């Protein structure tokens, strides 16, 4: 199960955080944890990528909830968090939101697990507030600048979406097969995007505003982020899908730049590593998490 917890982010933006796992039993003698034990369990904060939502982490969070307090955040403009039209969608705002989540929920020092944009947020927060972060998992996010051409490609891609979709089956088919960005059929990708759609009066549309996504993205694509990566002092694991957006050479350079970096690769996975190959993804990160826990 997942329990919603409201958080106040930067600028007063209301954020939805989700704590995964069964409710602990009140009597440890009957085989359950006490509420106090649950609160003291080492915490993991999961941060989705651009256009994602906390529910994309459900399988990972439920698996980790056996040993961790597992919380996933709907970041500003995403999922069930607030989407104010004039809110800041800067790097600073995203980092401050994650910082506020750790502090308001009493999660720190926590392991941060981030995918894509969420991974950038995670390592920027780890560099800013080392007291709040004990470990870091970076999933398929580049440290190099992507440039103006990349931003134009994304704007054109959003404009190509055949909105509204008549059914969720149409969503799955377009993003899993018909999207020009899809090299070969990818049902997991179709499911990923179906999860970020909601039904409106004329059909199915994204729960986010594409313009807000572009505003969020433009705050990182023009800059490289190696300097902040070098400031991360906690153990950090860089994970890439073999067919993802993060190339092997860049991933290994990120590991070299990180003071305590490690590397893992998931075969038969693209950018959506934890969605494409959930068991292989967990097999890649769980030994790292065990090591971080053992060196507490």
């Amino acid at each position: 199960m997942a329990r919603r917890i409201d958080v106040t982010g930067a600028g007063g933006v209301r954020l939805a955080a989700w704590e995964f796992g069964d409710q602990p039993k009140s009597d440890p003698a009957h085989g359950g944890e006490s509420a106090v034990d649950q609160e003291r369990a080492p915490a993991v904060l999961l941060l989705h990528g651009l256009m994602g939502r906390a529910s994309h982490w459900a399988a990972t969070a439920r698996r980790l909830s056996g040993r961790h307090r597992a919380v996933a955040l709907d970041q500003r403009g995403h999922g069930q968090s607030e989407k104010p039209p004039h809110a800041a969608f800067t790097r600073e705002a995203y980092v401050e939101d994650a910082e506020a989540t750790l502090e308001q929920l009493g999660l720190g020092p926590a392991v941060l697990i981030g995918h894509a944009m969420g991974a950038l947020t995670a390592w920027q927060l780890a560099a800013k507030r080392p007291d709040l972060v004990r470990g870091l998992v970076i999933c398929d996010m580049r440290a190099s600048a992507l440039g103006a051409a990349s931003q134009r490609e994304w704007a054109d891609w959003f404009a190509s979406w055949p909105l509204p979709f008549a059914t969720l089956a149409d969503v799955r088919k377009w993003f899993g097969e018909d999207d020009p960005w899809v090299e070969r059929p990818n049902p997991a990708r179709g499911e990923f995007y179906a999860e970020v759609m909601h039904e409106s009066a004329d059909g199915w549309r994204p729960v986010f505003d594409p313009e807000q996504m572009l505003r969020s993205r433009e705050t990182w694509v023009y800059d490289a982020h190696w300097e902040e990566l070098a400031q991360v002092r906690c153990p950090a694991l860089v994970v890439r899908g073999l067919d993802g957006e993060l190339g092997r050479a860049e991933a290994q350079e990120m590991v070299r730049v990180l003071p305590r970096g490690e590397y893992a690769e998931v075969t038969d996975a693209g950018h959506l590593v934890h969605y494409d190959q959930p068991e292989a993804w967990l097999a890649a990160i769980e030994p790292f998490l065990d090591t971080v826990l053992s060196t507490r």
Side-chain angles (χ1 to χ4, degrees):
M1 62 173 294
R3 175 173 66 97
R4 174 172 172 160
I5 311 170
D6 290 332
V7 173
T8 301
V13 173
R14 295 189 301 276
L15 306 172
W18 303 87
E19 184 163 2
F20 287 80
D22 295 332
Q23 287 289 345
K25 296 181 175 68
S26 58
D27 183 2
H30 288 86
E33 288 184 305
S34 68
V36 172
D37 288 336
Q38 181 69 13
E39 290 173 2
R40 290 178 179 172
V44 173
L45 179 64
L46 300 115
L47 300 170
H48 60 72
L50 191 74
M51 301 179 292
R53 63 187 307 168
S55 60
H56 283 143
W57 289 117
T60 298
R62 290 191 181 107
R63 172 80 157 259
L64 298 182
S65 67
R67 296 188 61 196
H68 300 266
R69 185 180 176 196
V71 176
L73 178 66
D74 275 335
Q75 296 176 80
R76 61 178 52 216
H78 297 75
Q80 294 190 32
S81 287
E82 198 172 14
K83 306 167 180 65
H86 303 296
F89 287 91
T90 61
R91 283 284 79 224
E92 292 77 12
Y94 279 102
V95 172
E96 288 174 18
D97 287 348
E99 183 179 6
T101 302
L102 292 176
E103 292 184 327
Q104 291 173 33
L105 302 186
L107 302 178
V111 175
L112 304 185
I113 300 178
H115 173 246
M117 178 191 74
L120 176 59
T121 299
W123 88 61
Q124 289 180 326
L125 178 55
K128 176 187 177 184
R129 290 290 307 274
D131 58 308
L132 289 177
V133 184
R134 61 186 296 177
L136 180 65
V137 177
I138 297 168
C139 180
D140 216 66
M141 180 62 188
R142 300 184 62 186
S144 299
L146 301 181
S150 173
Q151 189 71 352
R152 288 193 298 270
E153 288 173 0
W154 272 70
D156 292 343
W157 180 58
F158 277 130
S160 75
W161 291 15
L163 297 174
F165 292 96
T167 67
L168 280 178
D170 292 329
V171 174
R172 295 184 182 98
K173 184 175 186 301
W174 196 82
F175 287 101
E177 300 177 24
D178 300 338
D179 182 352
W181 283 16
V182 175
E183 295 182 358
R184 56 182 180 272
N186 187 341
R189 188 174 188 268
E191 291 295 339
F192 182 94
Y193 283 98
E195 202 163 336
V196 296
M197 296 289 163
H198 71 110
E199 191 170 19
S200 57
D202 59 350
W204 291 85
R205 295 179 177 274
V207 297
F208 52 79
D209 179 349
E211 285 303 315
Q212 290 184 349
M213 299 300 99
L214 288 173
R215 283 166 55 194
S216 298
R217 195 174 186 274
E218 71 183 0
T219 65
W220 88 72
V221 295
Y222 301 112
D223 301 312
H225 305 283
W226 296 98
E227 183 176 348
E228 292 152 309
L229 205 63
Q231 295 169 6
V232 174
R233 298 300 168 188
C234 63
L237 176 68
V238 177
V239 184
R240 65 177 290 268
L242 193 62
D243 297 319
E245 296 179 10
L246 175 61
R248 180 178 288 135
E250 184 172 354
Q252 292 177 343
E253 179 64 11
M254 290 169 66
V255 171
R256 189 192 69 79
V257 169
L258 284 159
R260 302 173 66 184
E262 300 178 32
Y263 177 75
E265 189 171 278
V266 178
T267 57
D268 298 322
H271 178 58
L272 305 175
V273 182
H274 56 300
Y275 234 71
D276 286 345
Q277 297 293 337
E279 286 301 319
W281 153 254
L282 286 164
I285 69 170
E286 286 184 318
F288 171 79
L289 296 177
D290 290 342
T291 300
V292 171
L293 281 177
S294 67
T295 56
R296 183 175 182 179

